[in-house]
Amino acid sequence: MKRFTFIMLGLSIAAYAAVIKPIPQSMEVEKEKAALGKQLFFDPILSKDGTISCATCHDLQNGGDDGLQFSFGIDGKRGNINAPTVYNAVFNFRQFWDGRAKNLEEQAMGPINNPVEMGHDIRKVAEKLKKSPAYNKRFHILYRDGVTAENIANAIAEYEKSLITPNAPFDKYLKGDENAISEEAKEGFRLFKYKGCIICHNGVNVGGNLYNKFGIYKDANSTNLGRFNITGREEDKYVFKVPSLRNIALTAPYMHDGRFKTLDEAVKFMTQYQLGRFITEEEIAAIVAFLRSLTGEIPFEAGMKK
């Protein structure tokens, strides 16, 4: 993994600046299916005891996560990994920290079937929804085979595709508005490139498009083994999907284990443990200013109305 990092650092950092792209203004979605998915997203009927909805851990008015180190599921059960934001998840190359879901549909099934989260069985959820005249009717209008586990996941995924946050100040800066971000944020972006952060945090989502080991230059003391839990391969120990930095100022605490409460702490840690670089307090402040410029607009589709 260190060798990989050295190879990447040997490439032109300027090349990576070019691959950060603005979030598009909209996504193409099937509106009726997305509307159904929105209703399901906010409905605790998906959980075994009717107390937990997708929105419980993904608060769309506060960054798309729940602001907790670890989320709570049914019966007060506490998880062991930080809930990522649902915003802009459509741009991730895989879903979940360990990448076990290849797309949003697979991701949608995960929490429903997880005994610590919603504690249900999605096929039993389908049977429950069939008994709801309103849900049963809507599914049969939109899907030839009506209410199925796959169609539930498809509708939720279609809604989640619409949860993008365009028009961040940095996106406006990328489009040519020099005044969209502060001089400190511009310096932060320069440092973001110079220190090497951009090697892993690039693309439309400023991350979310590759895996990397957590703790390259120093042992990060992670109790979660990451990809190893999925593959069983020794080289995948402590390897996680690189998270998106979009709206990062709204999604504390940070890291897969939620160990840091502030961006300053997270930036300092990542610079030292991932990049093996020295960083000053002034440089941290500048990079944080840049990160704050990645906060986009909450989409209309995130409203509570179903």
Side-chain angles (χ1 to χ4, degrees):
M1 192 61 67
K2 282 187 179 181
R3 180 174 179 272
F4 168 80
T5 303
F6 283 131
I7 290 172
M8 296 294 278
L9 282 171
L11 298 176
S12 170
I13 293 296
Y16 291 95
V19 297
I20 293 183
K21 304 291 186 183
I23 286 181
Q25 292 297 306
S26 62
M27 293 290 292
E28 185 175 336
V29 300
E30 296 184 60
K31 292 184 178 180
E32 291 302 316
K33 289 182 179 179
L36 173 58
K38 181 176 182 177
Q39 183 172 354
L40 291 166
F41 188 91
F42 286 99
D43 197 335
I45 197 173
L46 300 183
S47 63
K48 188 173 183 179
D49 63 1
T51 63
I52 304 292
S53 71
C54 303
T56 301
C57 296
H58 299 287
D59 183 350
L60 300 185
Q61 303 306 310
N62 290 289
D65 64 348
D66 58 9
L68 301 175
Q69 181 181 19
F70 302 125
S71 301
F72 290 90
I74 63 167
D75 302 322
K77 295 177 182 177
R78 190 171 185 247
N80 63 359
I81 199 160
N82 187 253
T85 178
V86 71
Y87 279 130
N88 306 307
V90 65
F91 301 122
N92 292 332
F93 86 119
R94 304 282 291 191
Q95 304 299 328
F96 296 115
W97 282 98
D98 56 17
R100 65 185 181 275
K102 66 182 180 182
N103 54 38
L104 289 174
E105 293 186 24
E106 285 191 6
Q107 186 279 327
M109 291 190 182
I112 295 173
N113 293 323
N114 190 317
V116 179
E117 297 181 50
M118 293 183 173
H120 218 327
D121 179 323
I122 194 168
R123 303 197 182 280
K124 291 182 179 179
V125 172
E127 293 304 312
K128 188 186 297 186
L129 294 182
K130 287 178 183 178
K131 297 176 183 178
S132 164
Y135 270 126
N136 197 42
K137 180 179 180 180
R138 290 187 71 182
F139 269 96
H140 275 284
I141 290 173
L142 297 173
Y143 297 95
R144 184 174 58 183
D145 48 352
V147 185
T148 67
E150 292 73 20
N151 293 343
I152 293 170
N154 177 263
I156 294 173
E158 199 66 17
Y159 170 57
E160 290 182 342
K161 282 168 58 178
S162 72
L163 297 178
I164 61 173
T165 59
N167 301 319
F170 185 70
D171 284 349
K172 295 176 182 178
Y173 174 71
L174 288 178
K175 293 178 179 179
D177 183 354
E178 289 289 332
N179 297 317
I181 63 175
S182 67
E183 291 302 316
E184 186 179 30
K186 292 176 186 177
E187 173 63 9
F189 181 45
R190 185 191 72 80
L191 289 165
F192 188 82
K193 293 180 284 183
Y194 174 73
K195 296 289 185 181
C197 312
I198 200 167
I199 291 170
C200 292
H201 292 286
N202 53 62
V204 172
N205 230 6
V206 199
N209 52 7
L210 75 159
Y211 298 118
N212 205 352
K213 182 178 179 180
F214 184 62
I216 294 175
Y217 287 88
K218 296 181 182 180
D219 184 357
N221 296 315
S222 173
T223 57
N224 191 306
L225 297 178
R227 288 283 297 161
F228 177 83
N229 294 328
I230 307 302
T231 68
R233 298 184 303 189
E234 187 69 21
E235 61 267 31
D236 284 337
K237 281 187 176 179
Y238 313 115
V239 170
F240 297 88
K241 182 188 70 179
V242 174
S244 164
L245 297 183
R246 291 286 182 180
N247 306 300
I248 193 71
L250 306 178
T251 59
Y254 304 110
M255 311 301 162
H256 66 276
D257 52 11
R259 63 176 66 185
F260 297 123
K261 295 181 179 180
T262 69
L263 281 174
D264 296 64
E265 293 174 301
V267 170
K268 183 176 182 179
F269 176 89
M270 294 300 285
T271 306
Q272 295 177 352
Y273 282 70
Q274 296 302 112
L275 300 171
R277 308 292 293 273
F278 173 76
I279 190 166
T280 67
E281 293 301 320
E282 291 76 14
E283 289 174 329
I284 290 173
I287 291 176
V288 168
F290 159 65
L291 294 176
R292 293 187 183 282
S293 77
L294 296 173
T295 302
E297 297 176 352
I298 292 177
F300 173 79
E301 288 76 7
M304 295 294 290
K305 294 182 180 179
K306 302 174 184 177

